[in-house]
Amino acid sequence: MKRCFALLAAVFLPIHDAQAQDYAVPINAIVEGQILSGFKELRDASDELFDASQATCDVSGANLRDTYEVAFLSWAKVSHFRFGPTEELNRGFALAFWPDPRGKTSKTLRGLIAAGDAAVLEPDTFNAQSVAIRGFYALDYMLYENSLADVGDADFRCALMRAVTRDIKRTTTELHAGWQAYAPELLQPTTDSIYRTEQEVTGALFNAVLTGMQFTSEMRLGRPLGTPDRPRPKRAEARRSGLSRDLTREALKGTVVLAKSLASGDAELVERFERLLTRAENDLAERTDPSFANVSDPIGHLRLESIKTTVDDIWRMAALELGPLLGVAAGFNSLDGD
């Protein structure tokens, strides 16, 4: 059963229900405990990734790959916060250019390696390059695509890999600093600031839940699912490194943790969010392989489709129950295909 999302934006609606807005959304706890701490974790993990790349150019080495995976998963945890500093200067895309339906990352990286132009690797020059050769997906290709070892010069490939990790370190450092500077906008809304009221802040956080969940459903799960007659396992996120399942889990958990925080005044709704998250996490662990390759098998396809249905149910619960509770609603079309 296919469900389609046509999400537009959160809009503010007058709420007449007696239960709406009778509790304070814990904005401070969300900012401190999820946003600032999450982007600090991402920055610190990216620092370790950069250090590992300086120590070795062995792309098959455990330490380099391990630090890469930790940093990438740290990004997934906060990837739903795609507004503010993450949106500025295309930082989110610089870290995570995916999906890439035209294979720009592969083509651009191979062309760059074949050309061997060292000037491109200078920090400020590289920072201005296409997002297709920056960030975690470019590094995924460099660390796990075996055929790349036959392209160009080994020393240049090493220098390029280090340029990518240096650029990730730079971007995540900017993100951490940017969110620290942006935090007062969320914590102290005024008529002269980006957010005039706490309800507008709540609306931005609510949108983060919906858009994050939508991306997980439509992209992380929907792309490899394809159709029963034509599954697309090669469209899975980070399939080369086998992180498809783990990225999905961390991204889903991050959005549900935010949804639970927003719903903290309704214990029953919080419990239902947690129950659906647990179901999805257990099914991901027990019923899928790391790269979603078993989606090509009819049983594997049904299992991943079942997980997507659970994610869609979480999205629906957020849109139709959490939004009215908060006094905001999503501008969206109904889920098609029911």
Side-chain angles (χ1 to χ4, degrees):
M1 184 184 302
K2 184 179 180 182
R3 291 182 170 93
C4 297
F5 298 95
L7 178 63
L8 300 178
V11 294
F12 299 98
L13 302 177
I15 295 294
H16 302 292
D17 192 311
Q19 71 171 343
Q21 294 298 329
D22 62 358
Y23 67 92
V25 172
I27 294 173
N28 186 75
I30 292 170
V31 171
E32 295 289 341
Q34 296 177 41
I35 298 177
L36 296 184
S37 66
F39 281 98
K40 181 181 184 300
E41 178 184 328
L42 173 61
R43 183 205 62 185
D44 292 348
S46 298
D47 286 351
E48 292 186 14
L49 169 61
F50 173 74
D51 291 344
S53 75
Q54 299 304 297
T56 181
C57 271
D58 179 8
V59 297
S60 63
N63 189 47
L64 184 54
R65 288 186 171 187
D66 287 349
T67 55
Y68 159 75
E69 292 178 9
V70 170
F72 202 176
L73 293 176
S74 296
W75 160 250
K77 294 175 185 178
V78 294
S79 60
H80 51 293
F81 294 113
R82 292 299 288 258
F83 61 96
T86 309
E87 187 177 39
E88 294 169 3
L89 301 177
N90 282 327
R91 291 188 183 105
F93 286 112
L95 278 183
F97 175 68
W98 186 84
D100 177 19
R102 298 183 181 180
K104 289 184 66 176
T105 293
S106 170
K107 294 173 186 175
T108 310
L109 279 175
R110 286 175 174 271
L112 183 62
I113 294 170
D117 184 1
V120 176
L121 307 184
E122 293 298 318
D124 289 340
T125 303
F126 193 81
N127 181 254
Q129 297 301 304
S130 165
V131 292
I133 61 169
R134 299 170 62 193
F136 290 115
Y137 297 103
L139 198 54
D140 194 87
Y141 193 85
M142 295 195 72
L143 294 181
Y144 294 93
E145 178 54 52
N146 293 330
S147 68
L148 200 62
D150 299 325
V151 180
D153 177 74
D155 288 341
F156 185 83
R157 290 197 305 272
C158 173
L160 175 57
M161 184 266 293
R162 287 172 169 167
V164 174
T165 63
R166 182 186 61 223
D167 188 62
I168 291 173
K169 172 185 170 76
R170 173 177 176 166
T171 302
T172 57
T173 298
E174 290 177 355
L175 276 171
H176 179 246
W179 277 106
Q180 286 184 311
Y182 193 82
E185 299 285 352
L186 300 171
L187 297 172
Q188 301 164 8
T190 70
T191 55
D192 297 324
S193 54
I194 297 172
Y195 305 100
R196 295 171 296 174
T197 65
E198 287 188 354
Q199 191 181 28
E200 289 187 0
V201 175
T202 299
L205 296 172
F206 174 64
N207 262 342
V209 171
L210 295 186
T211 55
M213 202 72 64
Q214 178 184 356
F215 191 86
T216 293
S217 173
E218 292 187 353
M219 301 301 166
R220 292 188 169 99
L221 297 172
R223 282 180 61 80
L225 266 173
T227 65
D229 294 335
R230 196 174 183 184
R232 304 278 196 171
K234 289 188 177 181
R235 293 187 176 181
E237 181 182 26
R239 64 175 177 81
R240 291 177 177 83
S241 57
L243 288 178
S244 313
R245 180 181 63 193
D246 291 347
L247 289 166
T248 298
R249 183 194 65 239
E250 294 303 319
L252 179 61
K253 183 177 179 180
T255 49
V256 174
V257 166
L258 177 56
K260 288 168 55 182
S261 295
L262 292 172
S264 60
D266 186 328
E268 190 270 339
L269 183 57
V270 169
E271 193 278 331
R272 284 194 288 135
F273 274 126
E274 181 61 30
R275 188 164 64 244
L276 287 177
L277 173 62
T278 299
R279 179 196 301 172
E281 288 184 313
N282 289 342
D283 285 349
L284 280 167
E286 297 171 3
R287 304 174 73 180
T288 63
D289 60 26
S291 65
F292 294 156
N294 66 350
V295 74
S296 295
D297 176 80
I299 298 300
H301 192 278
L302 284 172
R303 287 174 172 174
L304 195 63
E305 190 172 46
S306 175
I307 294 167
K308 184 178 184 298
T309 296
T310 300
V311 174
D312 291 351
D313 288 342
I314 299 172
W315 186 96
R316 183 190 297 275
M317 193 160 66
L320 302 182
E321 297 185 50
L322 177 59
L325 184 68
L326 297 172
V328 298
F332 66 99
N333 292 339
S334 298
L335 296 176
D336 297 330
D338 284 352

